[in-house]
PDB file of all heavy atoms in Angstrom:
ATOM      1  N   GLU A   1      99.666 100.299 108.367  1.00  0.00           N
ATOM      2  CA  GLU A   1      99.235  99.103 109.065  1.00  0.00           C
ATOM      3  C   GLU A   1      99.716  99.085 110.567  1.00  0.00           C
ATOM      4  O   GLU A   1      99.681  98.013 111.216  1.00  0.00           O
ATOM      5  CB  GLU A   1      99.613  97.858 108.320  1.00  0.00           C
ATOM      6  CG  GLU A   1      99.037  97.706 106.956  1.00  0.00           C
ATOM      7  CD  GLU A   1      97.567  97.511 106.940  1.00  0.00           C
ATOM      8  OE1 GLU A   1      97.103  96.779 107.892  1.00  0.00           O
ATOM      9  OE2 GLU A   1      96.868  98.079 106.131  1.00  0.00           O
ATOM     10  N   SER A   2     100.303 100.195 110.935  1.00  0.00           N
ATOM     11  CA  SER A   2     100.822 100.400 112.315  1.00  0.00           C
ATOM     12  C   SER A   2     102.130  99.638 112.604  1.00  0.00           C
ATOM     13  O   SER A   2     102.477  99.359 113.746  1.00  0.00           O
ATOM     14  CB  SER A   2      99.816 100.035 113.384  1.00  0.00           C
ATOM     15  OG  SER A   2      98.630 100.810 113.237  1.00  0.00           O
ATOM     16  N   TYR A   3     102.910  99.290 111.569  1.00  0.00           N
ATOM     17  CA  TYR A   3     104.164  98.656 111.793  1.00  0.00           C
ATOM     18  C   TYR A   3     105.241  99.758 111.885  1.00  0.00           C
ATOM     19  O   TYR A   3     105.167 100.827 111.169  1.00  0.00           O
ATOM     20  CB  TYR A   3     104.578  97.741 110.558  1.00  0.00           C
ATOM     21  CG  TYR A   3     103.710  96.565 110.401  1.00  0.00           C
ATOM     22  CD1 TYR A   3     102.987  96.328 109.229  1.00  0.00           C
ATOM     23  CD2 TYR A   3     103.684  95.575 111.389  1.00  0.00           C
ATOM     24  CE1 TYR A   3     102.169  95.240 109.077  1.00  0.00           C
ATOM     25  CE2 TYR A   3     102.847  94.439 111.223  1.00  0.00           C
ATOM     26  CZ  TYR A   3     102.138  94.282 110.046  1.00  0.00           C
ATOM     27  OH  TYR A   3     101.368  93.155 109.894  1.00  0.00           O
ATOM     28  N   THR A   4     106.221  99.551 112.722  1.00  0.00           N
ATOM     29  CA  THR A   4     107.385 100.395 112.681  1.00  0.00           C
ATOM     30  C   THR A   4     108.384  99.950 111.699  1.00  0.00           C
ATOM     31  O   THR A   4     108.565  98.735 111.481  1.00  0.00           O
ATOM     32  CB  THR A   4     108.077 100.494 114.078  1.00  0.00           C
ATOM     33  OG1 THR A   4     108.445  99.149 114.515  1.00  0.00           O
ATOM     34  CG2 THR A   4     107.135 101.077 115.112  1.00  0.00           C
ATOM     35  N   VAL A   5     109.092 100.899 111.047  1.00  0.00           N
ATOM     36  CA  VAL A   5     109.920 100.542 109.861  1.00  0.00           C
ATOM     37  C   VAL A   5     111.266 101.255 109.840  1.00  0.00           C
ATOM     38  O   VAL A   5     111.366 102.415 110.289  1.00  0.00           O
ATOM     39  CB  VAL A   5     109.143 100.929 108.550  1.00  0.00           C
ATOM     40  CG1 VAL A   5     110.025 100.659 107.293  1.00  0.00           C
ATOM     41  CG2 VAL A   5     107.805 100.245 108.490  1.00  0.00           C
ATOM     42  N   SER A   6     112.304 100.523 109.457  1.00  0.00           N
ATOM     43  CA  SER A   6     113.576 101.075 109.174  1.00  0.00           C
ATOM     44  C   SER A   6     113.910 100.800 107.700  1.00  0.00           C
ATOM     45  O   SER A   6     113.428  99.779 107.161  1.00  0.00           O
ATOM     46  CB  SER A   6     114.655 100.516 110.049  1.00  0.00           C
ATOM     47  OG  SER A   6     114.569 101.048 111.376  1.00  0.00           O
ATOM     48  N   ILE A   7     114.774 101.630 107.076  1.00  0.00           N
ATOM     49  CA  ILE A   7     115.050 101.398 105.673  1.00  0.00           C
ATOM     50  C   ILE A   7     116.590 101.414 105.525  1.00  0.00           C
ATOM     51  O   ILE A   7     117.303 102.292 106.026  1.00  0.00           O
ATOM     52  CB  ILE A   7     114.497 102.524 104.784  1.00  0.00           C
ATOM     53  CG1 ILE A   7     112.903 102.498 104.868  1.00  0.00           C
ATOM     54  CG2 ILE A   7     114.880 102.354 103.285  1.00  0.00           C
ATOM     55  CD1 ILE A   7     112.233 103.638 104.155  1.00  0.00           C
ATOM     56  N   ALA A   8     117.099 100.445 104.727  1.00  0.00           N
ATOM     57  CA  ALA A   8     118.551 100.403 104.359  1.00  0.00           C
ATOM     58  C   ALA A   8     118.646 100.284 102.886  1.00  0.00           C
ATOM     59  O   ALA A   8     117.949  99.526 102.257  1.00  0.00           O
ATOM     60  CB  ALA A   8     119.194  99.229 105.062  1.00  0.00           C
ATOM     61  N   ASP A   9     119.499 101.095 102.283  1.00  0.00           N
ATOM     62  CA  ASP A   9     119.705 101.055 100.802  1.00  0.00           C
ATOM     63  C   ASP A   9     120.915 100.279 100.365  1.00  0.00           C
ATOM     64  O   ASP A   9     121.261 100.291  99.189  1.00  0.00           O
ATOM     65  CB  ASP A   9     119.725 102.447 100.202  1.00  0.00           C
ATOM     66  CG  ASP A   9     120.860 103.307 100.839  1.00  0.00           C
ATOM     67  OD1 ASP A   9     121.696 102.756 101.533  1.00  0.00           O
ATOM     68  OD2 ASP A   9     120.882 104.517 100.554  1.00  0.00           O
ATOM     69  N   SER A  10     121.530  99.518 101.299  1.00  0.00           N
ATOM     70  CA  SER A  10     122.651  98.692 100.876  1.00  0.00           C
ATOM     71  C   SER A  10     122.748  97.492 101.958  1.00  0.00           C
ATOM     72  O   SER A  10     122.158  97.600 103.008  1.00  0.00           O
ATOM     73  CB  SER A  10     123.923  99.426 100.945  1.00  0.00           C
ATOM     74  OG  SER A  10     124.293  99.739 102.300  1.00  0.00           O
ATOM     75  N   GLY A  11     123.385  96.453 101.553  1.00  0.00           N
ATOM     76  CA  GLY A  11     123.568  95.322 102.401  1.00  0.00           C
ATOM     77  C   GLY A  11     124.311  95.659 103.677  1.00  0.00           C
ATOM     78  O   GLY A  11     123.954  95.221 104.749  1.00  0.00           O
ATOM     79  N   GLU A  12     125.357  96.448 103.540  1.00  0.00           N
ATOM     80  CA  GLU A  12     126.196  96.798 104.689  1.00  0.00           C
ATOM     81  C   GLU A  12     125.347  97.598 105.669  1.00  0.00           C
ATOM     82  O   GLU A  12     125.462  97.383 106.918  1.00  0.00           O
ATOM     83  CB  GLU A  12     127.437  97.621 104.244  1.00  0.00           C
ATOM     84  CG  GLU A  12     128.489  96.832 103.492  1.00  0.00           C
ATOM     85  CD  GLU A  12     128.115  96.721 101.992  1.00  0.00           C
ATOM     86  OE1 GLU A  12     127.033  97.151 101.586  1.00  0.00           O
ATOM     87  OE2 GLU A  12     129.033  96.226 101.272  1.00  0.00           O
ATOM     88  N   LYS A  13     124.591  98.517 105.161  1.00  0.00           N
ATOM     89  CA  LYS A  13     123.775  99.308 106.103  1.00  0.00           C
ATOM     90  C   LYS A  13     122.716  98.489 106.762  1.00  0.00           C
ATOM     91  O   LYS A  13     122.395  98.702 107.974  1.00  0.00           O
ATOM     92  CB  LYS A  13     123.140 100.508 105.321  1.00  0.00           C
ATOM     93  CG  LYS A  13     122.318 101.452 106.221  1.00  0.00           C
ATOM     94  CD  LYS A  13     121.793 102.635 105.443  1.00  0.00           C
ATOM     95  CE  LYS A  13     120.998 103.590 106.314  1.00  0.00           C
ATOM     96  NZ  LYS A  13     120.462 104.726 105.562  1.00  0.00           N
ATOM     97  N   ALA A  14     122.146  97.538 106.010  1.00  0.00           N
ATOM     98  CA  ALA A  14     121.114  96.652 106.529  1.00  0.00           C
ATOM     99  C   ALA A  14     121.687  95.824 107.747  1.00  0.00           C
ATOM    100  O   ALA A  14     121.084  95.745 108.793  1.00  0.00           O
ATOM    101  CB  ALA A  14     120.637  95.687 105.464  1.00  0.00           C
ATOM    102  N   LEU A  15     122.892  95.280 107.569  1.00  0.00           N
ATOM    103  CA  LEU A  15     123.478  94.503 108.615  1.00  0.00           C
ATOM    104  C   LEU A  15     123.844  95.346 109.800  1.00  0.00           C
ATOM    105  O   LEU A  15     123.657  94.942 110.918  1.00  0.00           O
ATOM    106  CB  LEU A  15     124.754  93.763 108.078  1.00  0.00           C
ATOM    107  CG  LEU A  15     124.535  92.687 107.065  1.00  0.00           C
ATOM    108  CD1 LEU A  15     125.814  92.174 106.517  1.00  0.00           C
ATOM    109  CD2 LEU A  15     123.701  91.513 107.611  1.00  0.00           C
ATOM    110  N   SER A  16     124.274  96.592 109.584  1.00  0.00           N
ATOM    111  CA  SER A  16     124.556  97.491 110.665  1.00  0.00           C
ATOM    112  C   SER A  16     123.299  97.833 111.496  1.00  0.00           C
ATOM    113  O   SER A  16     123.314  97.779 112.742  1.00  0.00           O
ATOM    114  CB  SER A  16     125.164  98.775 110.136  1.00  0.00           C
ATOM    115  OG  SER A  16     125.429  99.693 111.208  1.00  0.00           O
ATOM    116  N   LEU A  17     122.171  98.108 110.793  1.00  0.00           N
ATOM    117  CA  LEU A  17     121.017  98.407 111.437  1.00  0.00           C
ATOM    118  C   LEU A  17     120.436  97.199 112.207  1.00  0.00           C
ATOM    119  O   LEU A  17     119.932  97.330 113.338  1.00  0.00           O
ATOM    120  CB  LEU A  17     119.892  98.908 110.443  1.00  0.00           C
ATOM    121  CG  LEU A  17     120.131 100.314 109.875  1.00  0.00           C
ATOM    122  CD1 LEU A  17     119.097 100.633 108.796  1.00  0.00           C
ATOM    123  CD2 LEU A  17     120.015 101.388 110.977  1.00  0.00           C
ATOM    124  N   PHE A  18     120.497  96.083 111.587  1.00  0.00           N
ATOM    125  CA  PHE A  18     119.999  94.862 112.213  1.00  0.00           C
ATOM    126  C   PHE A  18     120.830  94.566 113.431  1.00  0.00           C
ATOM    127  O   PHE A  18     120.252  94.175 114.488  1.00  0.00           O
ATOM    128  CB  PHE A  18     120.106  93.641 111.253  1.00  0.00           C
ATOM    129  CG  PHE A  18     119.462  92.443 111.793  1.00  0.00           C
ATOM    130  CD1 PHE A  18     118.073  92.227 111.674  1.00  0.00           C
ATOM    131  CD2 PHE A  18     120.210  91.476 112.382  1.00  0.00           C
ATOM    132  CE1 PHE A  18     117.433  91.086 112.151  1.00  0.00           C
ATOM    133  CE2 PHE A  18     119.577  90.284 112.930  1.00  0.00           C
ATOM    134  CZ  PHE A  18     118.196  90.156 112.803  1.00  0.00           C
ATOM    135  N   GLU A  19     122.146  94.701 113.384  1.00  0.00           N
ATOM    136  CA  GLU A  19     123.001  94.420 114.549  1.00  0.00           C
ATOM    137  C   GLU A  19     122.716  95.381 115.666  1.00  0.00           C
ATOM    138  O   GLU A  19     122.670  94.966 116.880  1.00  0.00           O
ATOM    139  CB  GLU A  19     124.453  94.599 114.105  1.00  0.00           C
ATOM    140  CG  GLU A  19     125.464  94.420 115.211  1.00  0.00           C
ATOM    141  CD  GLU A  19     125.840  92.916 115.459  1.00  0.00           C
ATOM    142  OE1 GLU A  19     125.338  92.082 114.634  1.00  0.00           O
ATOM    143  OE2 GLU A  19     126.575  92.650 116.416  1.00  0.00           O
ATOM    144  N   LYS A  20     122.452  96.627 115.406  1.00  0.00           N
ATOM    145  CA  LYS A  20     122.242  97.595 116.483  1.00  0.00           C
ATOM    146  C   LYS A  20     120.804  97.545 117.026  1.00  0.00           C
ATOM    147  O   LYS A  20     120.604  97.627 118.217  1.00  0.00           O
ATOM    148  CB  LYS A  20     122.441  99.037 115.891  1.00  0.00           C
ATOM    149  CG  LYS A  20     123.916  99.317 115.639  1.00  0.00           C
ATOM    150  CD  LYS A  20     124.040 100.762 115.150  1.00  0.00           C
ATOM    151  CE  LYS A  20     125.536 101.144 114.889  1.00  0.00           C
ATOM    152  NZ  LYS A  20     125.700 102.481 114.384  1.00  0.00           N
ATOM    153  N   TYR A  21     119.799  97.415 116.106  1.00  0.00           N
ATOM    154  CA  TYR A  21     118.397  97.614 116.591  1.00  0.00           C
ATOM    155  C   TYR A  21     117.570  96.351 116.470  1.00  0.00           C
ATOM    156  O   TYR A  21     116.510  96.251 117.126  1.00  0.00           O
ATOM    157  CB  TYR A  21     117.782  98.766 115.807  1.00  0.00           C
ATOM    158  CG  TYR A  21     118.486 100.020 115.871  1.00  0.00           C
ATOM    159  CD1 TYR A  21     119.119 100.545 114.795  1.00  0.00           C
ATOM    160  CD2 TYR A  21     118.680 100.700 117.147  1.00  0.00           C
ATOM    161  CE1 TYR A  21     119.790 101.751 114.828  1.00  0.00           C
ATOM    162  CE2 TYR A  21     119.400 101.867 117.253  1.00  0.00           C
ATOM    163  CZ  TYR A  21     119.930 102.407 116.119  1.00  0.00           C
ATOM    164  OH  TYR A  21     120.694 103.572 116.149  1.00  0.00           O
ATOM    165  N   GLY A  22     117.903  95.444 115.509  1.00  0.00           N
ATOM    166  CA  GLY A  22     117.093  94.266 115.355  1.00  0.00           C
ATOM    167  C   GLY A  22     115.834  94.559 114.558  1.00  0.00           C
ATOM    168  O   GLY A  22     115.538  95.737 114.260  1.00  0.00           O
ATOM    169  N   ALA A  23     115.100  93.516 114.167  1.00  0.00           N
ATOM    170  CA  ALA A  23     113.840  93.661 113.472  1.00  0.00           C
ATOM    171  C   ALA A  23     113.067  92.428 113.675  1.00  0.00           C
ATOM    172  O   ALA A  23     113.624  91.339 113.780  1.00  0.00           O
ATOM    173  CB  ALA A  23     114.093  93.938 112.006  1.00  0.00           C
ATOM    174  N   ARG A  24     111.803  92.485 113.657  1.00  0.00           N
ATOM    175  CA  ARG A  24     110.905  91.338 113.730  1.00  0.00           C
ATOM    176  C   ARG A  24     110.793  90.650 112.384  1.00  0.00           C
ATOM    177  O   ARG A  24     110.442  89.475 112.339  1.00  0.00           O
ATOM    178  CB  ARG A  24     109.501  91.770 114.255  1.00  0.00           C
ATOM    179  CG  ARG A  24     109.536  92.225 115.695  1.00  0.00           C
ATOM    180  CD  ARG A  24     108.159  92.742 116.141  1.00  0.00           C
ATOM    181  NE  ARG A  24     107.187  91.673 116.033  1.00  0.00           N
ATOM    182  CZ  ARG A  24     105.884  91.808 115.737  1.00  0.00           C
ATOM    183  NH1 ARG A  24     105.494  93.045 115.450  1.00  0.00           N
ATOM    184  NH2 ARG A  24     105.088  90.798 115.731  1.00  0.00           N
ATOM    185  N   LEU A  25     111.015  91.354 111.314  1.00  0.00           N
ATOM    186  CA  LEU A  25     110.967  90.768 109.952  1.00  0.00           C
ATOM    187  C   LEU A  25     111.811  91.643 109.063  1.00  0.00           C
ATOM    188  O   LEU A  25     111.892  92.861 109.181  1.00  0.00           O
ATOM    189  CB  LEU A  25     109.500  90.760 109.478  1.00  0.00           C
ATOM    190  CG  LEU A  25     109.290  90.126 108.070  1.00  0.00           C
ATOM    191  CD1 LEU A  25     107.941  89.328 108.029  1.00  0.00           C
ATOM    192  CD2 LEU A  25     109.254  91.171 106.937  1.00  0.00           C
ATOM    193  N   VAL A  26     112.490  90.970 108.085  1.00  0.00           N
ATOM    194  CA  VAL A  26     113.306  91.668 107.060  1.00  0.00           C
ATOM    195  C   VAL A  26     112.742  91.505 105.675  1.00  0.00           C
ATOM    196  O   VAL A  26     112.448  90.323 105.266  1.00  0.00           O
ATOM    197  CB  VAL A  26     114.755  91.158 107.080  1.00  0.00           C
ATOM    198  CG1 VAL A  26     115.619  91.885 105.983  1.00  0.00           C
ATOM    199  CG2 VAL A  26     115.392  91.332 108.456  1.00  0.00           C
ATOM    200  N   LEU A  27     112.448  92.627 104.983  1.00  0.00           N
ATOM    201  CA  LEU A  27     112.017  92.573 103.595  1.00  0.00           C
ATOM    202  C   LEU A  27     113.220  92.939 102.746  1.00  0.00           C
ATOM    203  O   LEU A  27     113.703  94.061 102.772  1.00  0.00           O
ATOM    204  CB  LEU A  27     110.922  93.656 103.469  1.00  0.00           C
ATOM    205  CG  LEU A  27     109.933  93.502 102.270  1.00  0.00           C
ATOM    206  CD1 LEU A  27     109.252  92.204 102.174  1.00  0.00           C
ATOM    207  CD2 LEU A  27     108.915  94.656 102.365  1.00  0.00           C
ATOM    208  N   LEU A  28     113.691  91.979 101.971  1.00  0.00           N
ATOM    209  CA  LEU A  28     115.023  92.043 101.454  1.00  0.00           C
ATOM    210  C   LEU A  28     115.046  91.865  99.887  1.00  0.00           C
ATOM    211  O   LEU A  28     114.535  90.925  99.304  1.00  0.00           O
ATOM    212  CB  LEU A  28     115.886  90.921 102.025  1.00  0.00           C
ATOM    213  CG  LEU A  28     117.314  90.678 101.554  1.00  0.00           C
ATOM    214  CD1 LEU A  28     118.207  91.879 101.913  1.00  0.00           C
ATOM    215  CD2 LEU A  28     117.788  89.402 102.178  1.00  0.00           C
ATOM    216  N   ASP A  29     115.671  92.918  99.239  1.00  0.00           N
ATOM    217  CA  ASP A  29     115.904  92.848  97.792  1.00  0.00           C
ATOM    218  C   ASP A  29     117.208  92.054  97.578  1.00  0.00           C
ATOM    219  O   ASP A  29     118.032  92.007  98.481  1.00  0.00           O
ATOM    220  CB  ASP A  29     116.060  94.263  97.215  1.00  0.00           C
ATOM    221  CG  ASP A  29     116.120  94.221  95.686  1.00  0.00           C
ATOM    222  OD1 ASP A  29     115.727  93.216  95.062  1.00  0.00           O
ATOM    223  OD2 ASP A  29     116.544  95.307  95.077  1.00  0.00           O
ATOM    224  N   ILE A  30     117.323  91.478  96.381  1.00  0.00           N
ATOM    225  CA  ILE A  30     118.602  90.701  96.088  1.00  0.00           C
ATOM    226  C   ILE A  30     119.606  91.637  95.483  1.00  0.00           C
ATOM    227  O   ILE A  30     120.800  91.626  95.850  1.00  0.00           O
ATOM    228  CB  ILE A  30     118.328  89.542  95.114  1.00  0.00           C
ATOM    229  CG1 ILE A  30     117.477  88.471  95.871  1.00  0.00           C
ATOM    230  CG2 ILE A  30     119.630  88.918  94.705  1.00  0.00           C
ATOM    231  CD1 ILE A  30     117.041  87.327  94.971  1.00  0.00           C
ATOM    232  N   SER A  31     119.215  92.424  94.498  1.00  0.00           N
ATOM    233  CA  SER A  31     120.149  93.267  93.699  1.00  0.00           C
ATOM    234  C   SER A  31     120.450  94.546  94.461  1.00  0.00           C
ATOM    235  O   SER A  31     119.700  95.541  94.405  1.00  0.00           O
ATOM    236  CB  SER A  31     119.538  93.623  92.400  1.00  0.00           C
ATOM    237  OG  SER A  31     119.284  92.406  91.655  1.00  0.00           O
ATOM    238  N   LEU A  32     121.530  94.430  95.259  1.00  0.00           N
ATOM    239  CA  LEU A  32     121.957  95.581  96.098  1.00  0.00           C
ATOM    240  C   LEU A  32     123.395  95.968  95.746  1.00  0.00           C
ATOM    241  O   LEU A  32     124.120  95.076  95.266  1.00  0.00           O
ATOM    242  CB  LEU A  32     121.871  95.207  97.619  1.00  0.00           C
ATOM    243  CG  LEU A  32     120.496  94.850  98.158  1.00  0.00           C
ATOM    244  CD1 LEU A  32     120.671  94.221  99.531  1.00  0.00           C
ATOM    245  CD2 LEU A  32     119.604  96.107  98.224  1.00  0.00           C
ATOM    246  N   PRO A  33     123.840  97.151  95.949  1.00  0.00           N
ATOM    247  CA  PRO A  33     125.132  97.566  95.695  1.00  0.00           C
ATOM    248  C   PRO A  33     126.150  96.864  96.643  1.00  0.00           C
ATOM    249  O   PRO A  33     125.880  96.650  97.835  1.00  0.00           O
ATOM    250  CB  PRO A  33     125.160  99.062  95.920  1.00  0.00           C
ATOM    251  CG  PRO A  33     124.022  99.319  96.839  1.00  0.00           C
ATOM    252  CD  PRO A  33     122.997  98.358  96.416  1.00  0.00           C
ATOM    253  N   GLU A  34     127.261  96.397  96.096  1.00  0.00           N
ATOM    254  CA  GLU A  34     128.348  95.847  96.875  1.00  0.00           C
ATOM    255  C   GLU A  34     128.039  94.447  97.430  1.00  0.00           C
ATOM    256  O   GLU A  34     128.518  93.450  96.922  1.00  0.00           O
ATOM    257  CB  GLU A  34     128.866  96.740  97.956  1.00  0.00           C
ATOM    258  CG  GLU A  34     129.419  98.081  97.379  1.00  0.00           C
ATOM    259  CD  GLU A  34     129.888  99.010  98.464  1.00  0.00           C
ATOM    260  OE1 GLU A  34     130.134  98.579  99.529  1.00  0.00           O
ATOM    261  OE2 GLU A  34     130.007 100.239  98.155  1.00  0.00           O
ATOM    262  N   MET A  35     127.217  94.337  98.380  1.00  0.00           N
ATOM    263  CA  MET A  35     126.791  93.073  99.010  1.00  0.00           C
ATOM    264  C   MET A  35     125.402  92.739  98.575  1.00  0.00           C
ATOM    265  O   MET A  35     124.440  93.451  98.841  1.00  0.00           O
ATOM    266  CB  MET A  35     126.900  93.128 100.505  1.00  0.00           C
ATOM    267  CG  MET A  35     126.511  91.832 101.223  1.00  0.00           C
ATOM    268  SD  MET A  35     126.411  92.005 103.054  1.00  0.00           S
ATOM    269  CE  MET A  35     128.147  92.272 103.387  1.00  0.00           C
TER     270      MET A  35
END
């Protein structure tokens, strides 16, 4: 659909990617390792 995408497989990695690069929308699972 022409969206650019990043993928994180943990809460910590998600926050790190969001802090560095940002995102226009977050698609978020609840059951993640650690956080």
Side-chain angles (χ1 to χ4, degrees):
E1 297 293 321
S2 299
Y3 295 118
T4 56
V5 178
S6 287
I7 299 174
D9 58 8
S10 71
E12 291 84 353
K13 185 175 180 181
L15 292 174
S16 177
L17 288 173
F18 187 83
E19 180 81 6
K20 288 181 179 179
Y21 305 114
R24 295 175 60 212
L25 183 143
V26 178
L27 198 56
L28 177 64
D29 189 17
I30 293 176
S31 300
L32 299 168
E34 298 180 19
M35 179 187 295

